[in-house]
Amino acid sequence: MATSVRRTTLTLPTAPLGPGNPLPALRPRAEVHRVDEATRATLPAGMARQMAYEPLRSVLPVRLRDGYGRDRAPAALDAIVIENDRLRATVLPGLGGRVHSLHHKPTGRELLYRNPVLQPADFALNGAWFSGGIEWNIGATGHTTLSCAPVHAARVPAPDEADGGAMVRLWEWERLRDLPFQVDLWLPADSAFLYAGVRIRNPHHHPAPVYWWSNIAVPEDERTRVLAPADEAWHFGYTRTLRRVPVPEWDGADRTYPLRGAHPADYFYELPDGARRWIASLDAEGSGLVQTSTDLLRGRKLFLWGAGPGGRRWQQWLTEPGTGGYAEIQAGLARTQLEHLPLEAGEEFAWLEAYGPLSADPAAVHGADWAAARHEAESRLEAALPRAAVDAAYAAWRPCADAEPGESLATGSGWGALEMERGGYELPGTPFDPATLGEEQEPWRRLLRTGALPGWEPGRSPADPGASLVAPVWRDLLEAAPSTAAAEYHLGVAQWHAGDRAQAERSWERSLRCAETPWALRCLAVADTASGHPARAAERLLRAVRLILAMGSEPDPAPVLEAAGAPGAPVAVSLAAPPVAVDPCAMEAAEAALGREAIVTLLAADRADDARTVLDALRPGIHERGRFRLLRAQVLLAQGDALAARAVFDDGFEVCDLREGDEALSDTWYAIAERLAAGPGEPVTEEARARARAEHPLPERYEFRMRPA
């Protein structure tokens, strides 16, 4: 059959993403993939230099996505199918352009790990992420902020247009680094390999840091083996250590089998110069998926969850219990995912990837001779798809990369169109249509055209302050704009992102003089915490929560926090008059976000009673969420009621937005157990700690630790 491209829908049990978090991400998020300066000093110079190059300060201007839950219901997802007589690829343009499925038709085999559900979890740089398929990771170390965001998609003539070929172009404006990128997917006639032509462009007049890793989820079992052309790898564990280790055996086990490790870990393979770039995951019969590329995409990696309880719990958390697990094989621009590469002004990175089935002799693949296993896999790859054929496909694709898209298949965000209007860039092949500009971009478009940012309604604080832009060009425009509560608030966010904290605080103070809003108060509270003033931060957040609760009161007045008195004094509660109507979804998101930060800040300031008052004042739908159940246990423990704190855990809860590497569940559980073992008012001794761990083992449902306990 001729290659076809069509739109369809895919129905999956889905947990809705929910509203975005209205608070700008001023703090860097907890990121486990980092090493300290002492470790960097032991690494090769080029690797160390790229690890130190432009690390991410925050995820601004992107907003956090943490409003999802775990209640799944069938939902129809837009999908694009690319198909010939050998393969059928299913792409989800509304979810970062993820390749959800790669089905090999002659064998009826699914080559990828295809997640049977869509369950967000806090693994992306900005929160919501889901497992499975092939993910295009761009921006900075971690899963892309586009994991659960739409991208543009259109039909474009493929290099084999004479055979009726068509390809699907995916493209977007990556906002962390302000870089446009594209992924062109096509199936040549009669090919068993899906091609992906990738291009990242720097349209600016200055170098830009670039990160790219193609993340491929593959099925995992006891006999799955991952092969790559390497005898060494860089091992990175969740103890944040990076070390060179031999391949395949290290520390008493063959680490090319994902289930032979106890804990989640990364293995970045050290591919020799000149070696073909490839990685494969093969099962007991020697069959599975292989990925190869042109030479620019030098890095290859295995991520495994391991056989320990933490990794197994995460596997269950990300999908349906009872379904098979997965590992990840990946390909990137650098040797490790801890590095960023400079892309010079006006330049681009471009390469070609290929994904397809591979069958090899299982005796060789699983034999004790690693060199023979590698040779068997690579020779079978060369027979199925010669290295020269990949280079030729890349050469044929390059002239097509600038081809203007035809039929639109999906629409992404309007941020690229805004940047095109501001910068006037020429980006053939990836148009950002002004028709995609929407409500989020409109205030910034007006700033661009009139020099003034639209103000908030007089006398009212918005339920959502809107997204902030932080690039230097937007900061310059804000500095020249008339002073309003909105303009000064957004200017402060941009200044904070640039590292000018003193100016940011002055801007937020001017915003408060224009109008008192919870948004400027919260930003100043973050600044107070950063400068070592926890008591002042607590006061500001209490005031911010009071304002947001007053905004969200129903006509039947709800309890609202009064401004706090002296630090440590109880927080009074009063009734607020019903305000004007506000968006209930935005209000709930704001109340949850501010309430959570206030409780955490109050606990840090040793004001557990005030934290309890804030928690109790939140609407029931919020304080019954798992995250707030955990906060309740922490508040009760801080108040000295360890038995009540333990009862919260015994009742059971799920923290839907538990962050990768977060040990808050186990830490809180053992803190409660230690207090119970020590007895009321008694110090926690080493004996009490040992007794707590012996008598109160962490229940399996709360076991998410990704490193040795």
Side-chain angles (χ1 to χ4, degrees), residues 142-166:
H143 292 283
T144 176
T145 62
L146 296 166
S147 292
C148 293
V151 298
H152 302 282
R155 187 191 303 264
V156 183
D160 55 356
E161 185 180 6
D163 297 323

Side-chain angles (χ1 to χ4, degrees), residues 279-650:
I279 189 168
S281 173
L282 304 180
D283 64 13
E285 286 73 43
S287 297
L289 174 84
V290 66
Q291 187 270 2
T292 187
S293 72
T294 48
D295 288 353
L296 182 66
L297 203 66
R298 66 169 295 182
R300 292 298 184 275
K301 168 193 162 181
L302 162 64
F303 168 76
L304 54 87
W305 286 105
R312 293 301 96 195
R313 183 71 178 102
W314 273 114
Q315 292 262 33
Q316 297 166 7
W317 185 253
L318 297 171
T319 185
E320 289 280 14
T323 59
Y326 74 96
E328 292 172 358
I329 57 175
Q330 302 190 24
L333 284 172
R335 276 188 287 193
T336 74
Q337 287 177 324
L338 287 69
E339 303 168 66
H340 301 102
L341 278 64
L343 178 58
E344 297 302 322
E347 298 297 325
E348 63 183 43
F349 289 143
W351 65 91
L352 185 95
E353 303 180 44
Y355 298 83
L358 188 69
S359 293
D361 177 6
V365 166
H366 297 285
D369 188 333
W370 172 242
R374 283 172 33 197
H375 176 75
E376 168 66 12
E378 187 159 2
S379 62
R380 294 298 182 104
L381 170 60
E382 185 65 20
L385 184 65
R387 185 177 188 178
V390 175
D391 292 337
Y394 172 73
W397 166 71
R398 289 296 282 124
C400 302
D402 285 346
E404 288 305 306
E407 175 194 2
S408 175
L409 301 173
T411 302
S413 78
W415 294 112
L418 180 68
E419 293 299 329
M420 292 292 285
E421 181 172 335
R422 186 201 58 76
Y425 304 117
E426 294 291 333
L427 296 171
T430 54
F432 292 93
D433 192 334
T436 62
L437 290 161
E439 184 178 350
E440 279 191 299
Q441 294 82 37
E442 183 56 30
W444 301 96
R445 196 182 193 199
R446 288 177 60 183
L447 172 65
L448 187 62
R449 293 187 167 193
T450 69
L453 190 75
W456 295 327
E457 187 174 334
R460 286 187 59 194
S461 173
D464 186 328
S468 297
L469 296 185
V470 297
V473 289
W474 292 106
R475 187 172 72 246
D476 291 345
L477 287 169
L478 286 168
E479 287 174 345
S483 178
T484 65
E488 298 289 358
Y489 162 80
H490 288 294
L491 174 58
V493 174
Q495 291 166 331
W496 181 272
H497 179 71
D500 194 346
R501 296 189 170 186
Q503 287 288 6
E505 291 182 52
R506 284 191 279 272
S507 294
W508 291 325
E509 288 164 354
R510 286 193 296 269
S511 177
L512 285 177
R513 287 197 291 272
C514 294
E516 186 180 44
T517 67
W519 317 117
L521 282 167
R522 179 265 176 176
C523 289
L524 285 168
V526 172
D528 288 335
T529 299
S531 59
H533 296 95
R536 194 164 65 199
E539 294 299 326
R540 293 196 202 269
L541 280 170
L542 280 169
R543 180 64 180 164
V545 171
R546 176 181 182 271
L547 291 173
I548 207 70
L549 289 175
M551 290 166 56
S553 298
E554 301 295 333
D556 182 15
V560 175
L561 296 175
E562 285 290 359
V571 182
V573 175
S574 67
L575 296 179
V580 292
V582 292
D583 177 8
C585 290
M587 277 308 314
E588 184 166 343
E591 189 177 320
L594 278 171
R596 175 178 171 179
E597 288 203 9
I599 294 165
V600 171
T601 302
L602 287 162
L603 287 175
D606 295 323
R607 295 174 62 174
D609 291 343
D610 289 350
R612 173 74 174 270
T613 304
V614 171
L615 184 57
D616 290 342
L618 301 176
R619 63 186 73 192
I622 292 176
H623 63 65
E624 287 305 315
R625 296 180 189 177
R627 171 62 65 181
F628 289 85
R629 296 289 293 164
L630 174 60
L631 286 172
R632 183 171 295 279
Q634 293 169 341
V635 168
L636 289 167
L637 179 62
Q639 289 183 307
D641 195 346
L643 281 172
R646 171 62 182 265
V648 174
F649 274 84
D650 291 342

